[in-house]
Amino acid sequence: ILGGRTSRPGRWPWQCSLQSEPSGHICGCVLIAKRWVLTVAHCFEGRESAAVWKVVLGINNLDHPSAFMQTRLVKTIILHPRYSRAVVDYDISIVELNEDINATSYVRPVCLPSPEQWLEADTYCYITGWGHTGSKMPFKLQEGEVRIISLEQCQSYFDMKTISSRMICAGYEAGTVDSCMGDSGGPLVCERPAGQWTLFGLTSWGSVCFSKVLGPGVYSNVSYFVEWIQRQIYIQTFLLD
Amino acid sequence: CLYNSCLDSCGGSSLCDPNNSRNNCSQCEPITLELCMNLPYNYTSYPNHLGHRTQKEASISWESSLFPALVQTNCYKYLMFFACTILVPKCDVDTGQRIPPCRALCELSKERCESVLGIVGLQWPEDTDCHQFPEENADNQTCLMPDQYVEECSPSHFKCRSGRCVLASRRCDGQADCDDDSDEENCGCKERDLWECPSNKQCLEHTVICDGFPDCPDSLDERNCSFCQDDELECVNHQCVSRDLWCDGQADCSDSSDEWACVTLSKNANSSSFLTVHRGATEHHVCADGWQETLSQLACKQMGLGEPSETKLLQQQENDQRWLMLHPLWGSLSGTTLHKLLVNGQSCESGSKISLLCNKQDCGRRPAARMTKR
């Protein structure tokens, strides 16, 4: 996260780290149910097998396992069938853990939006992750507040790409607070009036975040995929006996 | 792998692991960078002249955005060709040798286009010092120069009638970008061999029509995709299955969509929510005979909700619609859906049906983040 700050344990209990040996942390991910996390499809390029992955939850410092940490293996990886590597569209995947997590104050699922719940431009939300801060890869979870940008305005930053309805743009013109490499798959969450935090985006792509090109980050639009997500979980849980 | 592109074992996503064996990595690889898919050569080798280690890295680089945008200014006819010779340098498949652009090509590109970048406060990419490239025909070193067959525009561009290149994302975007406005001509879906959504004139590739994913606002691209018999229903993937098989607990559609959303809660006048099963795509209520709390939990979980908050047995009305009842041996039946445990009703002894309320999933709260009083 560029321009963010170090978070505190328990502030983002749905944040998880998707890890694969020998690299360790590869991508962020988000807990949405006791045995289900969301991340982005491009994290699995070159590592499609569930066997090489594990999910670590309840940590703040990647380098210091906490008492609240829970680690699970990956049982199933479901990539969106329309994911396209070339244009990074439909960049979302659902991961089934090998067993339920224990819900604690430091490991808890985030809410999913309803399919008709879409974010207005100029709404302020949070992004979190252990990705590049512009100068280094941090050990401690970083958080940053970003503003939702309209798709039309966003398209003007990315001439070479088509910003589709499967995407959300967030950040600032100057790119002062933005996600970066290593944050992919992590959450863009917004607090709803009732005080519940809801997941609206998954960090997906953007300009090369520690170079001259600035501009907002692009996130997979979770509202667009909610029905697909719920359907895949239902099929995996109830129909594949 | 030192100084050469990594083989698949390193994938596109990370540095070569130190313990990676010293593969013979100086092999050519097919060009996959969309920007440079119309070159007079098809193989490249990495790292390239800009220091990118993989084509994936090149595809998200600053230069892969800069050059296509610069090509639109028409500053130099062969700028895109030069850009590709440094983004995806030619690799001679026979010798594995990399063939660089000639110095003249680099100097002409820089001479004609660097000033244009200066106007918008940008610089020519640092790593492209032309002296690193050989003179044309110098001591029989081969280098690349464009011939008359070289495409001036990349596959990511639209070629105006005037010959200029504008980014493909600007084709039919409602604003004329070509100097002759040709990018805003023939913008109808049919003229571009695309499928048109009746409601909003959105153009779709034919490949996404009837693929099970609605793309038009009113999902018309997923209508009239198959013609089922009267006693059949259409699956999401447009396969036809007999109506009797709908929500019978057994997936009959190859995408299992005949077993989706089979259990719901339907509101009625006094806002009790009756447990409803859509057997044969017809709403059925559930007879209360033999009901157990574990079944209420299964019903709520199957609907993606939290724990049941209330289970009531409500008297049936005379003109009540169809209902289902528990299979006599439901406890021993394998399989995990509620509707699989239900059979068409004979006599419902209790004369009552199930009304159910489920809590929402407990989510989005962060108890540890509370500010602690000091």
Side-chain angles (χ1 to χ4, degrees):
Chain A
I1 305 287
L2 303 186
R5 65 179 186 215
T6 297
S7 178
R8 285 205 319 273
R11 268 177 70 81
W12 313 106
W14 38 79
Q15 171 83 50
C16 48
S17 166
L18 194 58
Q19 304 192 358
S20 179
E21 294 316 327
S23 312
H25 172 83
I26 300 275
C27 275
C29 52
V30 192
L31 185 70
I32 58 167
K34 286 199 168 181
R35 77 167 45 199
W36 296 93
V37 302
L38 287 183
T39 188
V40 286
H42 80 251
C43 289
F44 296 110
E45 279 176 22
R47 291 185 173 93
E48 285 81 6
S49 161
V52 305
W53 293 97
K54 68 178 178 180
V55 172
V56 184
L57 306 110
I59 51 169
N60 184 274
N61 183 333
L62 283 177
D63 215 27
H64 286 294
S66 79
F68 314 114
M69 183 175 88
Q70 298 184 44
T71 301
R72 294 291 182 275
L73 298 179
V74 169
K75 179 183 173 189
T76 315
I77 297 171
I78 305 169
L79 303 183
H80 195 285
R82 277 191 172 179
Y83 167 60
S84 151
R85 175 174 184 166
V87 294
V88 196
D89 202 353
Y90 293 90
D91 191 15
I92 189 168
S93 63
I94 309 171
V95 173
E96 182 180 17
L97 306 178
N98 66 323
E99 62 177 272
D100 286 7
I101 54 97
N102 307 310
T104 66
S105 297
Y106 296 86
V107 178
R108 303 179 72 80
V110 72
C111 298
L112 287 177
S114 57
E116 57 279 353
Q117 228 180 330
W118 288 50
L119 279 178
E120 301 285 329
D122 298 332
T123 306
Y124 282 86
C125 298
Y126 276 86
I127 53 175
T128 52
W130 286 280
H132 214 280
T133 60
S135 56
K136 64 179 177 17
M137 293 297 274
F139 285 119
K140 290 196 172 184
L141 184 63
Q142 302 293 306
E143 62 183 54
E145 190 173 28
V146 289
R147 184 180 63 204
I148 303 304
I149 291 173
S150 70
L151 290 189
E152 296 71 31
Q153 189 184 346
C154 189
Q155 182 67 68
S156 67
Y157 291 110
F158 298 106
D159 247 344
M160 289 296 292
K161 300 272 189 190
T162 299
I163 303 296
S164 71
S165 57
R166 274 79 62 188
M167 302 171 190
I168 290 178
C169 282
Y172 303 93
E173 173 123 12
T176 42
V177 180
D178 196 1
S179 48
C180 196
M181 276 57 166
D183 290 319
S184 284
L188 179 148
V189 288
C190 315
E191 189 168 19
R192 297 287 82 191
Q196 281 183 319
W197 288 84
T198 302
L199 177 72
F200 282 95
L202 295 169
T203 300
S204 178
W205 61 275
S207 54
V208 185
C209 35
F210 37 86
S211 86
K212 351 175 181 8
V213 182
L214 302 170
V218 183
Y219 301 79
S220 298
N221 180 359
V222 172
S223 300
Y224 182 93
F225 295 107
V226 164
E227 280 188 12
W228 176 76
I229 294 166
Q230 290 169 340
R231 186 148 290 160
Q232 298 311 311
I233 292 177
Y234 171 73
I235 291 171
Q236 290 290 330
T237 308
F238 292 100
L239 296 187
L240 296 185
D241 50 0
Chain B
C1 310
L2 299 175
Y3 312 120
N4 280 305
S5 61
C6 302
L7 290 182
D8 284 344
S9 56
C10 300
S13 58
S14 69
L15 281 169
C16 284
D17 302 330
N19 55 4
N20 196 29
S21 66
R22 285 172 182 258
N23 303 335
N24 166 14
C25 296
S26 63
Q27 290 169 9
C28 303
E29 60 185 79
I31 293 175
T32 56
L33 185 64
E34 188 201 348
L35 207 52
C36 300
M37 297 289 275
N38 61 352
L39 290 175
Y41 59 88
N42 300 317
Y43 286 87
T44 184
S45 80
Y46 269 72
N48 66 13
H49 292 292
L50 296 169
H52 303 137
R53 293 175 308 245
T54 64
Q55 293 195 61
K56 175 97 182 154
E57 190 178 331
S59 72
I60 61 170
S61 68
W62 149 252
E63 294 81 0
S64 73
S65 295
L66 173 79
F67 282 118
L70 194 53
V71 163
Q72 296 183 105
T73 68
N74 224 20
C75 54
Y76 176 49
K77 185 179 172 77
Y78 297 118
L79 175 65
M80 196 66 234
F81 176 71
F82 166 69
C84 285
T85 60
I86 57 176
L87 279 165
V88 286
K90 177 175 179 179
C91 183
D92 181 321
V93 183
D94 302 329
T95 63
Q97 288 306 307
R98 189 159 61 181
I99 302 173
C102 296
R103 187 176 303 173
L105 174 59
C106 174
E107 286 169 342
L108 269 172
S109 302
K110 190 169 179 180
E111 188 183 299
R112 303 278 182 82
C113 300
E114 187 170 31
S115 58
V116 177
L117 281 179
I119 294 170
V120 288
L122 295 173
Q123 299 147 330
W124 187 256
E126 291 109 19
D127 318 19
T128 51
D129 166 25
C130 295
H131 289 94
Q132 67 181 304
F133 302 125
E135 296 278 6
E136 197 174 356
N137 302 329
D139 52 38
N140 78 8
Q141 261 223 36
T142 54
C143 60
L144 292 173
M145 282 300 277
D147 59 24
Q148 77 268 30
Y149 304 112
V150 158
E151 279 290 336
E152 296 150 43
C153 302
S154 84
S156 304
H157 287 101
F158 166 75
K159 190 170 180 112
C160 305
R161 202 173 35 250
S162 64
R164 282 185 72 161
C165 315
V166 298
L167 291 169
S169 59
R170 298 187 164 185
R171 167 94 171 99
C172 297
D173 67 348
Q175 285 175 329
D177 297 281
C178 289
D179 37 8
D180 56 10
D181 297 3
S182 52
D183 62 308
E184 294 305 314
E185 291 168 7
N186 304 322
C187 286
C189 299
K190 290 181 179 55
E191 285 123 320
R192 289 187 280 156
D193 188 25
L194 297 171
W195 196 88
E196 184 174 285
C197 291
S199 57
N200 66 346
K201 307 299 177 208
Q202 179 187 348
C203 297
L204 298 174
E205 296 289 344
H206 286 281
T207 52
V208 304
I209 309 304
C210 289
D211 74 337
F213 286 98
D215 293 279
C216 293
D218 45 16
S219 306
L220 274 181
D221 57 305
E222 295 303 316
R223 296 278 172 78
N224 307 323
C225 298
S226 61
F227 300 96
C228 301
Q229 305 301 319
D230 294 347
D231 65 344
E232 291 180 321
L233 292 171
E234 188 176 343
C235 309
V236 167
N237 62 6
H238 308 300
Q239 190 185 337
C240 297
V241 299
S242 164
R243 174 183 290 272
D244 300 343
L245 302 176
W246 211 265
C247 290
D248 66 349
Q250 204 59 42
D252 301 282
C253 297
S254 53
D255 64 0
S256 74
S257 53
D258 61 307
E259 294 301 310
W260 297 349
C262 292
V263 175
T264 59
L265 296 176
S266 62
K267 290 288 179 203
N268 83 335
N270 57 5
S271 86
S272 300
S273 58
F274 288 118
L275 181 61
T276 303
V277 176
H278 300 264
R279 175 73 44 90
T282 310
E283 286 200 356
H284 291 70
H285 287 155
V286 178
C287 170
D289 294 3
W291 191 261
Q292 292 188 14
E293 190 56 16
T294 51
L295 294 164
S296 298
Q297 288 165 358
L298 174 59
C300 292
K301 184 180 176 193
Q302 190 169 321
M303 290 183 278
L305 299 169
E307 289 301 310
S309 62
E310 180 190 82
T311 305
K312 283 195 290 189
L313 315 183
L314 294 184
Q315 207 53 40
Q316 291 185 26
Q317 314 309 321
E318 275 29 14
N319 61 344
D320 219 332
Q321 60 212 42
R322 305 167 192 75
W323 36 266
L324 300 173
M325 54 197 303
L326 279 172
H327 187 287
L329 306 173
W330 69 269
S332 58
L333 287 181
S334 70
T336 52
T337 54
L338 174 71
H339 56 279
K340 188 168 185 175
L341 308 178
L342 300 172
V343 291
N344 287 314
Q346 278 84 25
S347 63
C348 181
E349 304 293 321
S350 61
S352 308
K353 56 189 175 182
I354 297 294
S355 163
L356 184 60
L357 285 177
C358 306
N359 289 318
K360 282 197 166 189
Q361 287 267 17
D362 176 21
C363 63
R365 294 187 308 109
R366 43 185 208 167
R370 291 233 174 295
M371 306 308 153
T372 47
K373 293 183 181 62
R374 293 180 178 181

